[in-house]
Every structure is written in C-alpha cells, then in structure tokens.
C-alpha cells in the first residue's frame, strides 16, 4: 500500500492552500495512507489546520527554532529522516517546493518527478513538458521512494472537516550550517495572493509605464482580485517580478483571469491554462490571447479598462 508523506507549506501561522492540493493529488492513489509533515517553530496552529484536511491520516510535527524561517537546506535532511517508511513524499510545485524537494531527492539519491498533473497509478504520473505544450507519462521505479512536486494548478484543495491525529515526530539529525537566513525582501501588498486568488487581473507591455499600471490596480481592487503581469511588463520595470505569470513566473488557476494588453505568448499562456474564465482586452484582434480567451474585448485598454472599472464600481 502507498504511504505518502506530504510536506506542508506555511508561513508559520497559516497553512498554504498548496498543501491541501498536494493531499488531493496523493488521494488519487488508490488506498493511499496520507500523512502531513509540518516543520517549523511554534507550529501547533498550522498542524491543527493540516489535521482538518480530508483524507489525512496523521500530522507529524517537527517543532524546532532552526526551522523558522523555512530554509530548504535545513529542512531537507529532516524530511529525509521523516521519509523513512514512506513510499512517496510530495511537496507543492511552488517556489517553496521547488527549492526543497530536489534537495530531498538528491539526499535520497533518487530522481525527482516534477509537476505531477495527474496520477495514472501509484508509480505512474502525467506531467507537462515544453512549457505545457506536451504531456508526458512518467513511470517511477517501485523499489525507491517517489519524491515529487505536485502542480497545484491541476488540483482542487481537499475539503476540511477531518480531525487527524497530531504527533510530535521528534526528528534528530545534524542540521547544516552553511546556509542561513539573512533577510526577506518582498513587495508588501494587501491584494489577494496570486496563487490563491479567485480572480486575477494582469497587465502587459501595452500599459507602457509603472504609472499606467494604476489602471490595473484599480480594476483589480474593484473586483477584489490579485494583480499579475506578463514578463515584458516586469522586464520593463512597470511591476515587481513576483507578479509575473507564466512559464518563468507563477502558474495560477483563478476562476477569472483578465489579461489586459497581453499578446498571449505561449510562455504566458502556460501560466493560465487551468484558469476558469479568461477575458482578454487587446487592440489587435489577431492577438494569440484571443485563441484561448472565453471573452474577448477588442479595443484600446486605456478606454476599456476605466469604463469597465466604473461600470463595476
Ligand atoms: C524562456 C522564456 C520564458 C518566458 N517566460 C515568460 C513568462 O513566464 N511570462 C510571460 O508573460 N512571458 C514570458 N516570456 C516572454 C514571452 O515570450 C513574451 O515576450 C511576453 O509574454 C510578452 O509580453 P506582453 O504580452 O506583455 O507583450 P507583447 O507581446 O509586446 O504584447 C503586447 C500586447 O498589447 C497589445 N496592445 C498594445 N497597445 C494596446 C492598447 N493600447 N490597448 C490594448 N492592447 C494593446 C498588443 O496588441 C499586444 O498584443 C518568456 C520568454 C522566454 C523566451
């Protein structure tokens, strides 16, 4: 029987929804027994959240000051110790998981499977390649633990309502000292996080300046949406890099995605393939974004966006 350990992503206070999506992926494996590992410092609240997730058998906590903030180099040997006896270890395909899981795989001497988008069997998974233009089926050898990241945009979070047992895992391993936390630099924003926002408004190169991006912020605030961007807008310095959506940015799956002045390059589309309804505003009716848009508005964004914002206010 598959025994799966999911590594919880959290900020010390709140469980990131990516964890519930990893559990949804793990639950696709027939008869899987699913535990969640919560590493951190003072993680009782996060562990309680994790124990509420459907399909979870146990929550294992590793409460240690060295685990806060989360540094992949320090977490990895502890995850390896926890992995003993598990057939699979899953983490989210977020910046957190992409940092941690390859280290876990390397320490265990196995290959990592990246971006699981569906489970075909306990050791067989589908994952996207070539920026999502093709899907490949990967078979992992059953004699080694499967270390994998889960493409969170492909899964809906499992529901709550469970009350799994919470246990102290008591891991005792030597922690590396070569990597230490210096400082976290992040663009503070009250807007919804891109990964979890139900609605996202993104702007592209067409906005032409940081000041003009105010139009995107206004529309987003009117809708209660997160703010995204194309790489061209980031490269031009109109918006910070954490807003970038796409192959080298964030892969997101909001219910509503509004692309404003974005052409629809394949690298951008990769980031929004799983969005519910896609609305595109572009003055070029031939723009590739219209090929995937559910609703297209052809015209000048500088008149459409203010009109739309006013109409929705
Ligand atoms: C390896 C690699 C990785 C990449 N990763 C990413 C990624 O993660 N995310 C990403 O977004 N890109 C990525 N790119 C870049 C990508 O190829 C495109 O260059 C980029 O997405 C283009 O951004 P854009 O649509 O804002 O700009 P453009 O392609 O310049 O499009 C601007 C659009 O705005 C429209 N427009 C202009 N003026 C107006 C107006 N007044 N009103 C309405 N519409 C108007 C134009 O018709 C045009 O369609 C990557 C590229 C490479 C090579």
């Amino acid at each position: 029987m598959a025994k799966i350990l999911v590594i919880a992503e959290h900020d010390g206070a709140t469980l990131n929804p990516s964890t519930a999506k990893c559990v949804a992926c793990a639950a696709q494996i027939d008869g899987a027994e699913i535990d969640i590992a919560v590493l951190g410092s003072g993680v009782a609240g996060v562990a309680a959240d994790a124990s509420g997730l459907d399909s979870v058998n146990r929550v294992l906590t590793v409460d240690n000051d060295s685990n806060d903030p989360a540094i992949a180099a320090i977490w990895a040997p502890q995850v390896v110790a926890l992995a003993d006896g598990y057939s699979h270890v899953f983490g989210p395909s977020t910046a957190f998981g992409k940092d941690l899981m390859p280290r876990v795989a390397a320490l265990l001497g196995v290959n990592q499977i990246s971006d699981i988008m569906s489970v075909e069997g306990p050791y067989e998974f589908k994952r996207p390649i070539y920026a999502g233009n093709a899907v490949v089926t990967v078979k992992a050898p059953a004699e080694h633990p499967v270390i994998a990241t889960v493409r969170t945009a492909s899964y809906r979070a499992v529901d709550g309502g469970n009350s799994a047992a919470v246990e102290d895992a008591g891991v005792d391993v030597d922690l590396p000292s070569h990597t230490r936390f210096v400082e976290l630099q992040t663009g503070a924003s009250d807007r919804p996080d891109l990964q979890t926002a139900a609605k996202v408004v993104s702007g592209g190169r067409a906005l032409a300046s940081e000041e003009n991006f105010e139009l995107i912020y206004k529309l987003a605030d009117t809708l209660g949406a997160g703010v995204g961007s194309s790489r061209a807008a980031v490269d031009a310095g109109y918006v910070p890099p954490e807003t970038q959506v796409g192959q080298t940015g964030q892969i997101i799956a909001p219910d509503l995605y509004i692309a404003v002045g974005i052409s629809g390059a394949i690298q951008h589309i990769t980031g929004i393939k799983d969005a519910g309804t896609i609305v595109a505003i572009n003055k070029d009716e031939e723009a590739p974004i219209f090929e995937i848009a559910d609703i297209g508005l052809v015209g000048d964004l500088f008149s459409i966006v203010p009109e739309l914002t006013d109409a929705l206010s």
Side-chain angles (χ1 to χ4, degrees), residues 110-270:
V110 300
N111 292 311
Q112 181 193 267
I113 296 179
S114 304
D115 291 332
I116 293 178
M117 58 192 295
S118 77
V119 170
E120 305 299 302
Y123 295 94
E124 199 171 315
F125 309 94
K126 285 199 188 307
R127 62 172 298 255
I129 56 170
Y130 300 124
N133 282 317
V135 173
V136 68
T137 302
V138 184
K139 285 186 184 171
E143 56 273 23
H144 302 301
V146 175
I147 310 299
T149 58
V150 172
R151 187 175 184 275
T152 49
S154 298
Y155 289 93
R156 293 232 164 263
V158 292
D159 291 333
N162 192 5
S163 56
V166 178
E167 298 172 16
D168 179 359
V171 171
D172 183 19
V173 292
D174 288 338
L175 301 180
S177 55
H178 53 67
T179 306
R180 68 194 162 84
F181 176 77
V182 176
E183 179 190 9
L184 176 65
Q185 290 190 357
T186 176
S189 163
D190 291 337
R191 295 191 177 86
D193 175 55
L194 272 186
Q195 284 293 331
T196 50
K199 302 170 197 165
V200 171
V201 182
S202 276
R205 196 199 308 266
L207 269 299
S209 73
E210 189 179 348
E211 293 70 37
N212 288 343
F213 236 84
E214 203 46 47
L215 290 174
I216 301 295
Y217 294 128
K218 273 193 188 149
L219 177 56
D221 291 345
T222 304
L223 288 166
V227 169
S229 70
S230 71
R231 177 158 151 181
V234 171
D235 288 349
Y238 307 156
V239 273
E242 59 266 24
T243 59
Q244 185 180 317
V245 172
Q247 183 186 342
T248 44
Q250 305 205 49
I251 311 279
I252 57 174
D255 297 333
L256 173 68
Y257 185 75
I258 305 183
V260 181
I262 291 178
S263 57
I266 184 66
Q267 296 90 352
H268 188 83
I269 300 302
T270 297

Side-chain angles (χ1 to χ4, degrees), residues 31-82:
E33 187 179 302
I34 304 167
D35 294 345
I36 296 184
V38 180
L39 287 78
S41 172
V43 290
V46 176
D49 288 350
S51 81
L53 298 179
D54 269 1
S55 308
V56 173
N57 176 47
R58 280 188 312 165
V59 175
L60 307 173
T61 60
V62 184
D63 217 316
N64 182 336
D65 287 350
S66 313
N67 288 334
D68 184 27
I71 297 172
I74 292 175
W75 279 36
Q78 301 174 75
V79 173
V80 168
L82 288 170

